[in-house]
RNA sequence: GCCCCCGUAGCUCAGCGGAAGAGCAAGGCCCUCCUAAGGCCUAGGCCGUAGGUUCGAAUCCUACCGGGGGCACCA
């Protein structure tokens, strides 16, 4: 990455300045390198002289000037100057920048990879909806954040496992089975009183009908487990199909029941007790959450002998750590904010490196339709499914919008607005840029004298629009690094727009096929190819299609 | 009552210690020219309020005000 190269040059300059006696010797801090907001401030800048002013007891501008003076000779920076209170602004060498186009072409689709993970194993657990109904819009945000994050981690050198955690036992599943049975009786014409707390969705009736078709009216003799099994199977198939429409597939499915079956939940209880972090009181087993600053202790096992949901969660996270993941990302709805500290504290109490667990909480999606908020509860009938939203706005738009806001900001997904604004959709803006690259490259035709020449001289690319486009193409690795570091995939959508804009401006200002000279055409062909690689990569990371024509 | 998230342009939101931004909406321009699903220009801001920390705060701390969500031997 360019900022890293500049950082190293500045660090060298500081060392050289100290050695030459121009600056006093002090511990060298991290050198921040940032992109200035204004073009006149150069391509990159560092404020390091400002923060060194106090320890060095020198005026910031004086330090900045020493840095500039001792900057080692290099091909990257053409000019560095001191500005304002003591910023050092760097102007990149246009020749060096242009040459990066060849570099992008040589590396191809992986040109922006950054090796932050060094092949370490990371797990992203996401969606994790229990098979009690179709995925909702809220699950959609979860799914898209999780999968995009997984893509980003892969691009930054992590070996990623995508995982789905579910519970197919327990009270909710029994209610599911009984709901289906009641609906089946209803379809058969029996008078039925359908309890309020049962699953109200129309899909329950669909499942009942399907069972009738497959097994006949005799199915009515069966008990709830029979219906639960079939319903679960059908709902899971449905969930997987919905995710598939968004291009999402999990590598591993983990069932909560497995932690009961292999006894690991009881080993967790025993281990916590042995370390003094669990105790029995009023017939229940408690976790000493107060030892970690919580306001009260939490129940792990009820007085009935039945564990709370916390216990298998703890066992699951212990298992994740034992499987060797060095980064464990849980994509969770904001309603889980309160419970995660207990899990992490319990895992820490057991002596594991709990810091490897990094939950990310996304705020709720409010779906608005016809100006009215639609509540998303799986148990009520009036929810809108993720499938319906995909039907309306398309999978690419769902992927883009769901990850286009910071995960800790609430988002409003207005279907009417999304449809009304479809022409102004940023999804098309970005995809159209890609289609335009394809449009130009498809016109390569030796008989018309337009070919892709690997020997073309990219240093001819000196137009401001060309320079800006190359700059955006090269920025992807910085964006990836930021997304990966902070586990914030939304930066990618902003980048996608910036990259597309740079291309659209280039497209208008710099004709490729009808450039002034054949040499310039050849050079621009290379740039178009590089832009296509960048756009395709960005769209792929976002899980979107990169159409060749629109 | 306690905890978490959010208050930045009319709207939707980026930026989260270093030199106030984008998209949409509004007004005006640009196709004999590689797809106008595009580009250009204009206008629009005490960055919720008040203190504090800092050479420097939209960004960190405290309090308050608004909006949302969570606080069970429910999952």
């Amino acid at each position: 990455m360019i900022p890293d190269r500049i950082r190293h040059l500045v660090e060298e300059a500081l060392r050289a300045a100290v050695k030459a006696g121009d600056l006093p010797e002090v511990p060298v801090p991290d050198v921040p390198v940032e992109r200035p907001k204004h073009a006149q401030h150069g391509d990159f800048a560092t404020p390091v002289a400002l923060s060194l002013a106090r320890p060095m007891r020198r005026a910031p501008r004086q330090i900045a000037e020493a840095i500039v003076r001792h900057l080692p000779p290099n091909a990257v920076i053409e000019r560095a100057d001191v500005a304002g209170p003591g910023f050092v602004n760097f102007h990149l060498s246009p020749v060096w920048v242009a040459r990066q186009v060849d570099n992008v072409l040589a590396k191809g689709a992986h040109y922006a990879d950054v090796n932050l993970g060094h092949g370490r194993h990371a797990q992203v657990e996401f969606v994790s909806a229990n098979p009690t109904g179709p995925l909702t819009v809220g699950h959609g945000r979860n799914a898209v954040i999780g999968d995009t994050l997984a893509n980003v981690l892969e691009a930054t050198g992590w070996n990623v496992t995508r995982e789905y955690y579910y519970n197919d036992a327990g009270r909710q599943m029994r209610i599911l089975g009984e709901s289906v049975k009641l609906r089946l009786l209803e379809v058969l014409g029996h008078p039925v009183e359908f309890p309020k707390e049962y699953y109200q969705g129309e899909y329950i009736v669909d499942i009942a009908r399907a069972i009738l078709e497959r097994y006949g009216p005799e199915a009515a003799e069966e008990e709830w487990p029979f219906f639960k099994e079939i319903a679960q199977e059908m709902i899971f198939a449905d969930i997987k199909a919905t995710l598939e429409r968004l291009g999402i597939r999990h590598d591993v499915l983990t069932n909560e029941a497995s932690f009961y079956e292999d006894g690991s939940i009881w080993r967790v209880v025993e281990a916590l007790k042995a370390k003094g972090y669990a105790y029995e009181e009023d017939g229940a087993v408690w976790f000493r959450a107060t030892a970690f600053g919580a306001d009260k202790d939490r129940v792990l096992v009820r007085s009935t002998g039945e564990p709370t949901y916390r216990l298998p969660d703890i066992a699951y996270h212990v298992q994740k750590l034992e499987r060797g993941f060095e980064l464990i990302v849980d994509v969770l709805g904001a309603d889980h904010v309160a419970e995660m500290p207990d899990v992490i504290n319990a895992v820490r109490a057991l002596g594991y490196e709990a810091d490897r667990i990094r939950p990310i909480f996304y705020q709720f999606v409010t779906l608005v339709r016809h100006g009215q908020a639609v509540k998303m509860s799986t148990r009520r009938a009036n929810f809108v499914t993720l499938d319906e939203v995909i039907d309306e706005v398309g999978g690419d738009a769902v992927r883009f919008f769901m990850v286009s806001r910071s995960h800790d900001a609430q988002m409003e997904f207005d279907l009417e607005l999304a449809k009304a604004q479809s022409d102004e959709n940023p999804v098309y803006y970005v995809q159209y840029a890609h289609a335009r690259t394809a449009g130009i490259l498809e016109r390569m035709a030796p008989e018309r004298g337009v070919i892709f020449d690997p020997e073309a001289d990219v240093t001819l690319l000196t137009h401001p629009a060309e320079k800006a486009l190359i700059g955006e193409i090269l920025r992807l690795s910085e964006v990836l690094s930021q997304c990966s570091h902070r586990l914030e995939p939304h930066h990618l959508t902003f980048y996608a727009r910036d990259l597309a804009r740079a291309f659209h401006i280039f497209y208008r200002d710099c004709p490729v096929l009808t450039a002034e000279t054949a040499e310039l055409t050849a050079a621009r062909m290379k740039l178009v190819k590089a832009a296509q690689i960048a756009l395709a990569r960005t769209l792929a990371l976002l899980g979107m299609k990169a159409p060749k024509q629109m």
Side-chain angles (χ1 to χ4, degrees), chain A residues 441-452 525:
Chain A
L441 293 173
E442 268 169 20
R443 282 179 172 71
M444 270 196 286
E447 68 275 14
R448 274 183 280 151
V450 180
I451 55 163
F452 187 87
M525 287 295 270

Side-chain angles (χ1 to χ4, degrees), chain A residues 4-295:
Chain A
D4 286 338
R5 300 185 67 147
I6 294 176
R7 181 174 303 116
H8 292 137
L9 290 169
V10 171
E11 283 164 358
E12 265 190 68
L14 279 169
R15 277 194 295 272
V18 169
K19 202 171 168 191
D22 284 2
L23 290 175
E25 188 162 1
V26 300
V28 175
D30 280 344
V31 175
V33 175
E34 53 209 27
R35 287 178 179 265
K37 286 164 191 160
H38 301 285
Q40 69 263 31
H41 295 136
D43 299 303
F44 289 91
T46 179
V48 72
L50 294 161
S51 55
L52 279 172
R54 185 193 287 271
M56 284 185 167
R57 297 157 135 266
R58 294 285 165 87
R61 283 191 67 103
Q62 196 186 338
I63 299 170
E65 276 154 19
I67 291 171
V68 171
R69 209 160 46 237
H70 288 95
L71 219 49
N74 66 87
V76 183
I77 296 168
E78 182 185 61
R79 186 162 59 87
D81 38 47
V82 179
F87 292 99
V88 181
N89 294 338
F90 301 98
H91 299 262
L92 299 182
S93 149
V95 171
W96 182 85
V97 169
R99 289 225 168 92
Q100 299 314 300
V101 172
D102 279 330
N103 196 22
V104 171
L105 296 181
K107 287 186 179 159
H110 289 280
Y111 83 95
D113 284 359
V114 187
N115 196 358
L116 302 174
H118 303 288
R120 282 128 84 207
H121 289 261
Q123 183 208 49
V124 181
E125 183 214 318
F126 63 112
V127 186
S128 295
N130 287 337
T132 57
L135 294 180
T136 64
V137 178
H139 295 129
R141 166 112 106 147
N142 186 317
V144 172
I145 289 173
D147 193 56
T148 309
L149 211 43
N151 290 342
V152 165
L153 289 171
E154 279 171 345
T156 51
W158 290 88
N159 193 331
V160 179
T161 298
R162 290 168 170 79
E163 191 147 328
Y164 188 122
Y165 180 62
Y166 69 100
N167 180 9
D168 65 358
R171 202 170 75 91
Q172 294 309 323
M173 297 306 291
R174 183 171 62 80
I175 290 176
L176 174 69
E178 289 180 342
S179 300
V180 173
K181 176 164 181 176
L182 280 184
R183 288 303 189 202
L184 182 130
L185 292 173
E186 212 171 52
V187 170
L188 286 174
H190 297 284
V192 159
E193 195 173 317
F194 202 82
K196 266 210 313 285
E197 68 273 20
Y198 278 26
Y199 290 97
Q200 305 286 326
E202 191 62 27
Y203 66 95
I204 298 289
V205 181
D206 296 339
I207 292 169
R209 290 222 170 86
I211 290 176
L212 260 183
E213 208 164 292
R214 211 192 302 175
Y215 297 93
E218 307 86 72
E221 306 300 316
E222 299 285 349
E223 294 303 317
W224 69 264
F226 169 83
F227 296 98
K228 177 231 148 197
E229 278 307 317
I230 297 169
Q232 176 190 334
E233 197 182 301
M234 291 179 67
I235 290 169
F236 243 135
D238 187 61
I239 288 173
K240 283 181 189 168
T242 303
L243 292 174
E244 190 73 40
R245 292 180 77 188
L246 296 175
I248 296 172
R249 247 175 264 182
H250 289 83
D251 304 306
V252 177
L253 268 69
T254 297
N255 188 343
E256 184 179 317
S258 63
F259 300 104
Y260 288 78
E261 285 156 14
D262 68 7
S264 57
I265 51 171
W266 305 116
R267 285 196 294 278
V268 164
V269 170
E270 289 316 309
L272 284 172
K273 276 184 183 170
K275 290 183 185 278
Y277 287 108
Y279 61 92
E280 291 194 35
E281 194 174 287
D282 303 332
V285 180
W286 298 73
F287 171 59
R288 206 179 293 282
T290 47
F292 299 91
D295 54 340

Side-chain angles (χ1 to χ4, degrees), chain A residues 227-517:
Chain A
F227 296 98
K228 177 231 148 197
E229 278 307 317
I230 297 169
Q232 176 190 334
E233 197 182 301
M234 291 179 67
I235 290 169
F236 243 135
D238 187 61
I239 288 173
K240 283 181 189 168
T242 303
L243 292 174
E244 190 73 40
R245 292 180 77 188
L246 296 175
I248 296 172
R249 247 175 264 182
H250 289 83
D251 304 306
V252 177
L253 268 69
T254 297
N255 188 343
E256 184 179 317
S258 63
F259 300 104
Y260 288 78
E261 285 156 14
D262 68 7
S264 57
I265 51 171
W266 305 116
R267 285 196 294 278
V268 164
V269 170
E270 289 316 309
L272 284 172
K273 276 184 183 170
K275 290 183 185 278
Y277 287 108
Y279 61 92
E280 291 194 35
E281 194 174 287
D282 303 332
V285 180
W286 298 73
F287 171 59
R288 206 179 293 282
T290 47
F292 299 91
D295 54 340
K296 53 186 181 239
D297 291 341
R298 320 280 181 192
V299 172
L300 292 176
V301 185
R302 295 179 197 112
S303 50
T304 60
E306 202 187 344
T308 63
Y309 65 90
R310 258 182 220 98
L311 186 52
D313 271 6
I314 295 165
Y316 181 32
H317 282 85
V318 166
Q319 186 238 41
K320 290 184 185 202
L321 285 157
E322 288 190 337
R323 281 157 69 191
F325 293 115
E326 292 189 47
L327 174 64
I328 294 163
V329 180
D330 291 359
V331 183
L332 300 166
D335 51 336
H336 290 73
V337 163
E339 80 191 47
M340 216 38 209
D342 293 330
V343 172
I344 289 175
N345 288 331
V347 166
R348 181 171 288 125
L350 290 170
Y352 292 93
E353 276 186 62
D355 293 342
R356 293 180 178 185
I357 303 170
R358 298 194 39 201
I360 71 170
F361 300 103
Y362 60 94
Q363 297 292 319
F364 290 135
V365 181
T366 315
L367 194 63
V368 177
R369 162 170 264 159
H370 301 304
Q372 289 215 317
V374 183
K375 262 286 179 206
M376 291 177 291
S377 162
T378 320
R379 258 179 273 174
R380 303 197 61 82
N382 63 339
F383 64 88
V384 175
T385 66
L386 180 54
D387 256 324
E388 286 169 324
V389 176
I390 298 171
D391 289 343
E392 284 196 35
V393 304
D396 285 345
V398 169
R399 289 226 42 156
F400 190 92
F401 282 120
M402 286 296 188
V403 81
S404 66
R405 306 241 182 296
S406 165
H407 59 76
D408 52 26
Q410 286 163 226
M411 76 178 280
E412 200 168 90
F413 201 120
D414 189 325
L415 287 169
E416 298 306 308
L417 204 66
K419 278 195 288 184
Q421 291 189 334
S422 60
D423 280 357
E424 304 298 339
N425 207 317
V427 171
Y428 296 114
Y429 184 79
V430 177
Q431 289 180 326
Y432 185 44
H434 182 271
R436 278 181 153 177
T437 64
I440 293 171
L441 293 173
E442 268 169 20
R443 282 179 172 71
M444 270 196 286
E447 68 275 14
R448 274 183 280 151
V450 180
I451 55 163
F452 187 87
D453 179 8
E455 301 301 320
D457 180 9
V458 291
T459 63
L460 295 173
L461 301 170
T462 53
H463 189 283
E466 291 167 338
K467 198 188 166 192
L469 176 56
I470 298 167
E472 282 301 323
I473 293 170
L474 298 181
R475 194 161 68 90
L476 178 55
S477 31
E478 290 163 52
V479 174
L480 279 174
S481 159
Q482 186 186 24
C483 290
S484 176
H485 221 80
R486 291 155 61 160
L487 302 178
E488 290 176 345
H490 68 278
H491 301 293
L492 216 39
T493 61
F494 290 87
Y495 170 72
R497 288 216 275 238
D498 292 342
L499 176 62
R501 178 168 35 242
F503 182 79
H504 286 308
I505 291 171
F506 161 80
Y507 182 90
R508 194 227 18 204
D509 289 348
C510 304
V512 177
L513 305 174
T514 56
E516 297 91 81
T517 64

